[in-house]
Amino acid sequence: MSKRIDVKDLDVYYGDFKAVEGVNMEIEARSITALIGPSGCGKSTFLRTLNRMHEVIPGARVEGQALLDGEDLYGPGVDPVAVRRHIGMVFQRPNPFPTMSIAENVLAGVRLNSKKIAKSDAEALVEESLRGANLWNEVKDRLDRPGSSLSGGQQQRLCIARAIAVKPDVLLMDEPCSALDPISTLAIEDLMHELKSDYTIVIVTHNMQQAARVSDKTAFFNIAGTGKPGKLIEIDDTSTMFSSPRMQATEDYISGRFG
């Protein structure tokens, strides 16, 4: 299941604008890597390049390499849709499909990949995925209700269930708790700890405490000014980053002196 990602000399462009420059990073399998840094420094853009999601914006392109267990995600002939099957994404705001039931939401990605699935297999996959997202016991008696009938925290766990139903290797999470209350946030953080035994997880967060609590490694991105590209300043074990970062800018950001 879970695989490592190696990023080499990655530049991200939107048309002529270079949004992210020169990222080199190793993302270890079965671990949680947090991306931190001020707004507009390219964290979310970089995260989206890992499953080619940024390409939905016209004129977006990448130079350099992103390797999933040695295979270049940007190699010639690589299908972005196939990449997204291996690398799932959970967004900032929970986005269950409002017209679909809870069960249909879980199966949406699997059906999108045009896989025919027997009814008994579908039911088993729904239960397995909802259990994986720590949501089964809360919703098992109302699987035919709309996904939008759930609370915000439950909707976000439903989106995680939908992402893991496709059996990806990697889970990307773009500020998955920023729209949630503290109790729901804690539930998602607990869930991340459980999921990392099966998945490689990369999370963008603005919450320093969250990065310190959930991640094994932390990567700090920064930007020199408006119109300049975001850059990876340093990446290290989270405990080291928060206690003795190498770069002054990291220290300043973590201690709240800017950002």
Side-chain angles (χ1 to χ4, degrees):
M1 286 270 278
S2 104
K3 296 182 177 179
R4 61 177 284 143
I5 296 177
D6 292 287
V7 177
K8 299 180 179 176
D9 300 324
L10 195 78
D11 298 336
V12 187
Y13 292 87
Y14 292 116
D16 294 333
F17 173 61
K18 188 188 269 191
V20 176
E21 180 175 75
V23 177
N24 288 283
M25 185 188 295
E26 294 173 8
I27 297 168
E28 291 167 10
R30 293 198 170 87
S31 69
I32 300 176
T33 302
L35 312 180
I36 62 169
S39 295
C41 68
K43 305 180 299 293
S44 291
T45 295
F46 170 69
L47 189 77
R48 285 159 186 252
T49 63
L50 297 178
N51 76 342
R52 302 187 58 166
M53 202 75 202
H54 69 296
E55 290 175 30
V56 298
I57 297 173
R61 64 191 168 87
V62 155
E63 292 177 2
Q65 289 184 308
L67 307 170
L68 181 67
D69 266 6
E71 293 201 27
D72 192 353
L73 301 174
Y74 287 90
V78 174
D79 177 7
V81 177
V83 168
R84 291 175 206 137
R85 239 171 262 157
H86 292 283
I87 304 180
M89 183 113 183
V90 176
F91 296 93
Q92 187 167 1
R93 298 206 165 270
N95 58 347
F97 300 116
T99 57
M100 289 186 184
S101 70
I102 291 168
E104 286 169 337
N105 259 288
V106 174
L107 295 170
V110 179
R111 296 226 161 103
L112 198 64
N113 291 328
S114 68
K115 289 208 179 110
K116 287 276 183 274
I117 183 166
K119 187 164 185 283
S120 59
D121 292 342
E123 286 170 357
L125 182 59
V126 166
E127 178 173 347
E128 180 193 346
S129 304
L130 288 169
R131 281 191 188 280
N134 275 349
L135 191 58
W136 174 251
N137 288 336
E138 293 163 58
V139 301
K140 61 177 189 248
D141 300 323
R142 45 178 173 148
L143 294 174
D144 51 355
R145 296 278 307 280
S148 52
S149 67
L150 299 174
S151 72
Q154 289 172 325
Q155 286 186 23
Q156 192 61 299
R157 280 181 285 147
L158 178 60
C159 293
I160 292 170
R162 183 175 70 197
I164 62 180
V166 189
K167 305 272 198 282
D169 303 304
V170 179
L171 270 181
L172 308 177
M173 299 186 170
D174 194 356
E175 294 192 61
C177 304
S178 65
L180 305 180
D181 63 86
I183 290 170
S184 300
T185 296
L186 199 60
I188 300 281
E189 289 181 5
D190 287 344
L191 175 55
M192 280 191 248
H193 275 298
E194 289 175 29
L195 290 173
K196 84 170 180 184
S197 56
D198 292 317
Y199 303 94
T200 304
I201 299 175
V202 188
I203 171 178
V204 169
T205 180
H206 274 289
N207 182 327
M208 293 301 102
Q209 289 77 23
Q210 181 169 72
R213 280 193 301 264
V214 303
S215 68
D216 301 291
K217 288 209 158 175
T218 297
F220 172 60
F221 283 74
N222 203 2
I223 187 165
T226 311
K228 296 273 201 296
K231 294 185 178 184
L232 172 64
I233 304 302
E234 65 177 306
I235 178 170
D236 210 330
D237 292 338
T238 295
S239 53
T240 306
M241 282 285 275
F242 280 88
S243 58
S244 50
R246 292 192 299 273
M247 309 299 281
Q248 185 62 44
T250 314
E251 167 91 30
D252 289 348
Y253 182 73
I254 287 172
S255 62
R257 281 199 277 277
F258 82 93

